[in-house]
Amino acid sequence: MSELQIGVLILGVAVIALVFGFNVFQEWRFRKKASQAFARPHDDVLLNVPKNNVRDGVRADRMEPVLADGMHVPASYDDEPFEPEIPEDTSLIMPAAVERPVPQPEPMPLPARDDEENSGFESADHQALVAALLDPSLDFIAEVVFHEPHELAAMPRFNVGKRTHIIGRTEKGLWKPAEALPGTRYKQINIGMQMVDRSGAVTEPELAGFCQQVSRFAEEHDAAVSFPQRQQKLVAARELDRFCADVDVLIGINVVPRVAVEGTRLRSFVEAGGLQLEPDGAFHYLADSGNTLYSLMAADQMPFTFHTLLDKSFPALTLLFDVPRVAGGVDVFDRAVLFAKQLAAEFDAQLVDDNRRVLSDVGLARIRDQLVHIYSSMDDRGIAPGSVAALRLFA
């Protein structure tokens, strides 16, 4: 063998060793990046999150309370944890503390029906819908009665930590969402403050402050005001908040492909599945009512935009199912799981939880069983999943 051949052989061996070493280094970096992509500042939603993570009066970074006591999903779905290999792209990694977008409650479209009002007639159904804007089981309702029919020069504003709604009874006795319109005069307005939402139950100081502000408004407009019994409402709000904490669950199914998914290919597949990109940077599957049934986002919380979908690849995805906000719950969950499996099949991926444990069919079936209990509990309480009441409470 000549010196040239020996040199070429040595050079070839050196190149092979260098490539092998580089691959080992890259694999180590990929595994490290995978761990970062699924890092959470808290435990997994389906495992060990403290029950009052959301409804303790302090808004958490991510609202993922645990399933109700006695209904925990087992911590292990498969014996071997899945170690995804995710190509490194530092532009896709965002701080773990970035808040996942939480769907906002849908507006309740109840416009004034001036044509019917002017004719002296309005349907009983419409009147019932207007009255439903304020629910005594959800709202602390102050009744303000004017001595003479009163035109609102401007809508009253209340500096409180909860949402307020106002409905008014016109001169003709018809209830409608209150508006400051020339020529529209009210005999009475009812002002409701929502007592419970995902930030917790109303506090005694908040309730006292609301009452003071309403009383000041009534005094300024020469009106009489009456309130419900304050302590009874506080007790009812705390009890309702405890119930909501037991059923408030956000399920996340992570879809981790072997190779990062190109944004253009992802968008094409997802839109073919009926999802559409919304301003919050996630794809949403919407009901006919416009409410979200389930959504898809990047696991590292990078918002989807037309630009990122054109230029980026995504190492992992998360399908979100906000349990109490979804009408037709279990059937929709089945549809969401089917879509997650279709994603996994299309992009050669596996389904894992936030701790990177593989989600088997057995594990998903256990989660489904727990949803049956949750939805049954909500129905027994009279708060239908996805109803107006549920959308208000879980906002």
Side-chain angles (χ1 to χ4, degrees):
M1 183 179 294
S2 68
E3 292 183 0
L4 178 60
Q5 290 174 320
I6 294 174
V8 171
L9 181 61
I10 293 174
L11 180 61
V13 171
V15 170
I16 293 172
L18 181 62
V19 171
F20 178 79
F22 179 75
N23 287 339
V24 170
F25 175 69
Q26 284 290 83
E27 181 177 354
W28 173 81
R29 296 182 71 183
F30 294 164
R31 291 178 184 275
K32 182 178 179 181
K33 191 64 65 180
S35 298
Q36 292 175 348
F38 286 99
R40 296 288 186 267
H42 50 75
D43 292 335
D44 186 75
V45 55
L46 298 175
L47 302 175
N48 302 316
V49 178
K51 183 158 93 175
N52 291 325
N53 184 22
V54 176
R55 297 178 178 273
D56 56 2
V58 178
R59 187 176 298 277
D61 283 344
R62 176 181 173 190
M63 299 186 212
E64 290 193 358
V66 75
L67 296 176
D69 288 346
M71 299 194 299
H72 294 290
V73 176
S76 177
Y77 300 109
D78 283 10
D79 292 334
E80 295 296 328
F82 175 55
E83 296 271 342
E85 295 186 4
I86 301 177
E88 180 182 13
D89 183 350
T90 56
S91 66
L92 297 181
I93 302 303
M94 297 181 69
V98 174
E99 183 176 359
R100 281 189 177 180
V102 176
Q104 295 300 312
E106 302 297 326
M108 292 173 282
L110 292 172
R113 295 166 61 172
D114 293 332
D115 56 333
E116 293 180 0
E117 184 180 342
N118 291 336
S119 66
F121 170 79
E122 189 165 280
S123 71
D125 288 343
H126 182 70
Q127 286 289 281
L129 286 173
V130 173
L133 276 172
L134 298 183
D135 184 339
S137 66
L138 306 181
D139 301 301
F140 184 87
I141 304 173
E143 297 181 350
V144 178
V145 180
F146 301 106
H147 293 301
E148 297 291 340
H150 189 81
E151 181 178 309
L152 295 176
M155 291 299 296
R157 302 291 181 182
F158 303 99
N159 184 23
V160 293
K162 300 294 182 184
R163 296 189 177 193
T164 59
H165 303 277
I166 306 175
I167 62 174
R169 186 159 60 94
T170 66
E171 291 179 280
K172 297 182 179 180
L174 301 178
W175 287 98
K176 59 183 291 185
E179 299 175 282
L181 293 176
T184 300
R185 299 194 297 176
Y186 298 97
K187 296 195 297 185
Q188 175 180 340
I189 62 171
N190 287 359
I191 307 168
M193 180 177 67
Q194 187 169 320
M195 296 186 296
V196 175
D197 56 27
R198 270 181 164 158
S199 67
V202 65
T203 64
E204 188 165 1
E206 287 175 331
L207 198 54
F210 173 72
C211 291
Q212 290 174 358
Q213 293 176 59
V214 173
S215 296
R216 189 179 306 119
F217 169 81
E219 182 179 352
E220 292 172 352
H221 293 80
D222 190 26
V225 61
S226 61
F227 301 98
Q229 211 288 327
R230 192 181 303 179
Q231 288 302 318
Q232 290 180 357
K233 285 293 188 178
L234 285 170
V235 171
R238 291 166 188 152
E239 191 278 330
L240 177 59
D241 186 57
R242 285 192 293 270
F243 167 80
C244 290
D246 286 339
V247 300
D248 196 356
V249 176
L250 177 66
I251 295 176
I253 300 175
N254 298 302
V255 182
V256 183
R258 302 289 178 179
V259 179
V261 180
E262 293 180 358
T264 51
R265 185 181 169 203
L266 174 66
R267 179 186 174 190
S268 176
F269 182 84
V270 169
E271 290 182 345
L275 285 77
Q276 60 188 52
L277 186 60
E278 295 292 324
D280 64 353
F283 286 99
H284 290 253
Y285 190 91
L286 303 178
D288 293 339
S289 64
N291 296 329
T292 296
L293 299 180
Y294 54 86
S295 60
L296 183 73
M297 60 182 300
D300 57 20
Q301 303 173 0
M302 181 181 192
F304 293 131
T305 65
F306 293 117
H307 175 72
T308 58
L309 288 168
L310 186 63
D311 295 341
K312 301 291 184 182
S313 295
F314 298 90
L317 309 167
T318 299
L319 192 71
L320 291 177
F321 184 80
D322 197 345
V323 174
R325 293 178 58 86
V326 177
V330 174
D331 291 338
V332 178
F333 176 74
D334 291 340
R335 194 186 311 170
V337 169
L338 176 61
F339 180 69
K341 290 181 176 180
Q342 291 171 342
L343 278 170
E346 175 70 16
F347 299 112
D348 188 22
Q350 287 191 273
L351 306 182
V352 303
D353 65 16
D354 278 355
N355 291 324
R356 295 186 288 122
R357 294 185 179 94
V358 174
L359 285 170
S360 65
D361 287 340
V362 173
L364 290 168
R366 287 173 180 151
I367 297 173
R368 187 184 190 277
D369 290 341
Q370 309 318 311
L371 294 183
V372 172
H373 289 287
I374 290 175
Y375 286 127
S376 176
S377 178
M378 292 185 69
D379 288 336
D380 291 343
R381 178 78 189 208
I383 302 173
S387 65
V388 171
L391 294 176
R392 290 179 61 190
L393 286 168
F394 301 99

